[in-house]
Amino acid sequence: MNTSHPDSPFPVVIIGGGLAGLTAAAHLAARGVPPLLLDADGLWPGGRLAGGDDDRFQYQGREWRFSSEHGMHALWGGYLNMRAMLKRFTAVELQYSPGEEWINRWRREVRVVEAGQLVRFGWVPAPFHYLSLLYSPRFWTTITPLDFLSLPGFLFSIFWTLGLDPIREGIALDGLMIDEYFRGWTPNLRATFTGLAVNLLAAPKEHISLAAMIAAVRFYTMLRRDSWEMSYLPDNPHRALLQPLIAQIQQGGGRVIHGAEAVRLEQRAAGQAGWRVVFADQSRRGLRAVEAAQVILATNVPGAQRLLLNSPATEPIARGLRFPGVVRNASVRLWFNAAPREGAPAGMFTGDFLPDNFFWLHRLYDEFRDWHHETGGSAIELHLYAGDSVLEQAENVLLIRCVDEIQRAFPELRGYYVYGTVRRNSRVHTAFRPPTADSLHLQTPWPALYACGDWIGYPSPALWMERAVTTGIAAANAVLQTHQLEPYPVLQPPPPERLVRVLEALTRAFRHTIGRGLLTLGRLLRRKRV
């Protein structure tokens, strides 16, 4: 094993080159604390924002090339820390989304409604703002008179969401799944809003817990109408976001080693604070080791679990930690030599559709706009948050099924399909579970070892990219504090709308009163038995 023994250790080693790790590293470098970042991927940094080999095909005597990525991502209204980071370290001007389509298929009938503008700009206040959809004549085609029987169940779900904050309270409700949220709903509405949950949590419904559903609905849509305000990066995230972050790290004296997978953590010799990080280096085809005064663990769930359990210094405590599950997904891109009807740049599929959401790439990225301008065509990206029985199907089967589904939703594209690709992403995407006391938190049980990522415990309601950035900034702040340097602000979402605050207080008071009553009753019954 080749090892390095510097006279003084790195001030901080960051394990993981995803969004959380790059965020922490960029903020440290900007404050004059040069980090060493170990990225397990030898080619494409960025974790679940990473790029990939170009998509290429021949059309009309020309080779077309398009940048690829794991999948498009939207920045919702509550992504405050991510927007602040973009402003600090990039020149990105986000593209505001004028709306989002909600396309529902119930058996063979397809129904389309523009939902984004109605929900966020309707006059009905939160938490009842989804009722603004009733002002759309198209929405009436998606429901039946029978669906109004769901009103009691719908109201119960709303009050359940207001009265319980799984992330702040550290409650996971293990064993209760998403079906509990929709008790009393008619099959049509249940299928429609289950599709919303699948899109919010990027997982098949079999992997979505009740607590995760409540946490996602609270953060993304329930507490404020403007939470459902989406923006998009103007370019592939590798160019728009990841490269500027890496440049910031290097300008601040930091270093990024690609193809470096951490395999073990060792505490430094007695009397020396910090850690020794052993990692496999693809470029040197062997093991190396570096010493660090502090370590930030910024990997996905399997990587963190494997590292902590494989390290004798952390294994005893790590065995008692609760790690969330992980799921896989796939993205499909389709090119057509015709354009769809005018409409929103993106949206979601619900009901009986196979895909779960879509993004019209020729309305979002310049390289796809060129395809549209030169051929009159279009390009769409679909995300599939399905189980293994779907994702393991042959590529041509998935393409045929997706082309059929798009032509159902956009019949004007029938007969104009040109080319398609399938990208199967690894089983590393978090099946979100609200962090509890036995989860891994930003302040870990080990000295000088911090953690960040979209699954890490931290007092923020944020999910996904915003949670990764928020915890990345907070982890950098923890290191900066030890260097007596100024921390960065960690932003919290604005307060809920007024009606939400009132109903939230009433619901929680009722919940606590009932809880105390049941506790008192239980004590009386126990005394009676004695």
Side-chain angles (χ1 to χ4, degrees):
M1 176 176 69
N2 295 322
T3 60
S4 61
H5 298 284
D7 295 332
S8 60
F10 284 95
V12 59
V13 168
I14 299 174
I15 302 172
L19 182 58
L22 289 170
T23 296
H27 283 82
L28 286 170
R31 284 283 193 266
V33 180
L36 172 66
L37 188 145
L38 306 178
D39 180 15
D41 194 301
L43 297 174
W44 298 99
R48 296 198 298 276
L49 280 178
D53 295 334
D54 288 350
D55 296 322
R56 304 183 184 187
F57 61 91
Q58 296 284 336
Y59 180 72
Q60 292 183 342
R62 170 183 168 182
E63 182 185 58
W64 291 84
R65 298 178 58 172
F66 301 90
S67 302
S68 68
E69 57 188 275
H70 272 214
M72 287 284 298
H73 297 271
L75 279 71
W76 291 67
Y79 281 31
L80 303 181
N81 288 296
M82 186 166 183
R83 293 169 191 268
M85 182 186 68
L86 290 171
K87 189 174 182 179
R88 282 185 200 116
F89 301 132
T90 77
V92 162
E93 293 290 337
L94 293 173
Q95 302 180 80
Y96 177 75
S97 174
E100 295 80 40
E101 287 185 335
W102 194 332
I103 306 180
N104 183 64
R105 178 159 72 86
W106 185 241
R107 298 184 176 93
R108 298 189 65 83
E109 184 180 355
V110 175
R111 297 161 294 193
V112 182
V113 61
E114 195 291 310
Q117 295 281 1
L118 288 171
V119 170
R120 59 180 173 254
F121 293 127
W123 65 270
V124 181
F128 304 114
H129 44 307
Y130 275 89
L131 296 178
S132 298
L133 294 172
L134 295 174
Y135 288 89
S136 169
R138 284 192 171 188
F139 185 73
W140 285 93
T141 67
T142 70
I143 59 176
T144 67
L146 183 65
D147 289 326
F148 284 94
L149 296 177
S150 296
L151 185 59
F154 178 74
L155 293 174
F156 180 80
S157 299
I158 287 180
F159 284 107
W160 200 350
T161 303
L162 296 180
L164 177 66
D165 187 343
I167 294 179
R168 184 177 65 83
E169 299 179 57
I171 297 175
L173 300 176
D174 292 321
L176 296 178
M177 304 304 288
I178 188 177
D179 288 340
E180 301 295 332
Y181 193 82
F182 297 113
R183 284 194 177 274
W185 293 45
T186 57
N188 179 35
L189 285 185
R190 185 186 303 120
T192 299
F193 281 84
T194 296
L196 172 63
V198 168
N199 278 279
L200 291 179
L201 288 154
K205 69 182 185 67
E206 295 80 12
H207 291 266
I208 298 177
S209 69
L210 172 63
M213 172 66 178
I214 292 174
V217 171
R218 285 181 62 88
F219 178 62
Y220 284 111
T221 70
M222 187 65 73
L223 306 186
R224 297 180 59 91
R225 280 168 286 182
D226 58 7
S227 295
W228 190 336
E229 280 192 3
M230 296 187 186
S231 298
Y232 297 95
L233 294 172
D235 195 3
N236 181 284
H238 183 76
R239 292 189 290 265
L241 173 59
L242 303 178
Q243 285 183 343
L245 290 180
I246 293 173
Q248 173 63 50
I249 295 166
Q250 294 170 339
Q251 289 169 10
R255 181 183 175 193
V256 179
I257 302 180
H258 300 290
E261 181 177 3
V263 296
R264 191 169 65 253
L265 293 172
E266 300 172 352
Q267 289 185 310
R268 297 181 71 202
Q272 293 182 313
W275 296 86
R276 187 168 183 264
V277 183
V278 180
F279 64 96
D281 189 339
Q282 291 181 15
S283 63
R284 300 191 182 184
R285 297 183 180 180
L287 293 180
R288 297 175 61 192
V290 294
E291 294 187 348
Q294 294 163 310
V295 170
I296 296 177
L297 184 60
T299 68
N300 53 46
V301 175
Q305 187 173 17
R306 183 170 55 249
L307 178 61
L308 293 175
L309 291 177
N310 286 346
S311 303
T314 58
E315 185 267 343
I317 296 177
R319 287 206 173 276
L321 294 178
R322 180 71 175 264
F323 293 88
V326 289
V327 296
R328 60 194 294 205
N329 54 53
S331 62
V332 175
R333 285 183 170 181
L334 306 174
W335 283 260
F336 298 88
N337 55 8
R341 60 179 178 264
E342 292 297 321
M348 65 179 173
F349 294 114
T350 59
D352 293 334
F353 274 109
L354 171 65
D356 294 293
N357 55 34
F358 66 93
F359 305 86
W360 286 112
L361 300 175
H362 66 283
R363 295 173 180 169
L364 294 169
Y365 286 170
D366 283 344
E367 58 186 324
F368 292 90
R369 290 188 182 100
D370 292 342
W371 165 262
H372 172 68
H373 293 322
E374 295 191 30
T375 69
S378 55
I380 192 170
E381 179 174 297
L382 312 172
H383 294 175
L384 277 61
Y385 305 129
D388 289 343
S389 61
V390 171
L391 298 183
E392 290 177 356
Q393 292 178 2
E395 181 173 318
N396 62 332
V397 173
L398 287 176
L399 286 175
I400 291 171
R401 294 184 65 183
C402 287
V403 170
D404 179 65
E405 295 281 48
I406 292 304
Q407 292 176 343
R408 287 176 188 268
F410 302 91
E412 62 272 22
L413 296 180
R414 289 188 184 277
Y416 293 102
Y417 170 68
V418 173
Y419 185 72
T421 63
V422 176
R423 178 162 181 165
R424 305 174 198 266
N425 295 323
S426 303
R427 197 186 301 274
V428 296
H429 182 76
T430 308
F432 186 75
R433 175 183 182 270
T436 51
D438 55 354
S439 300
L440 189 65
H441 290 252
L442 186 136
Q443 296 283 350
T444 74
W446 305 279
L449 176 60
Y450 308 98
C452 58
D454 63 17
W455 56 282
I456 295 299
Y458 182 75
S460 168
L463 277 77
W464 303 142
M465 291 194 300
E466 177 66 7
R467 191 167 193 85
V469 170
T470 299
T471 56
I473 295 173
N477 284 344
V479 173
L480 292 174
Q481 185 177 7
T482 65
H483 290 263
Q484 298 182 336
L485 295 172
E486 181 185 359
Y488 293 87
V490 178
L491 306 176
Q492 295 288 341
E497 292 185 24
R498 181 177 301 175
L499 180 58
V500 171
R501 295 199 298 270
V502 172
L503 295 177
E504 199 171 35
L506 292 174
T507 305
R508 288 183 178 175
F510 176 78
R511 172 187 158 200
H512 293 151
T513 300
I514 292 296
R516 284 195 296 269
L518 291 175
L519 181 61
T520 302
L521 179 61
R523 288 172 179 169
L524 291 174
L525 290 175
R526 283 196 297 272
R527 289 175 185 173
K528 188 173 181 180
R529 290 194 192 101
V530 173

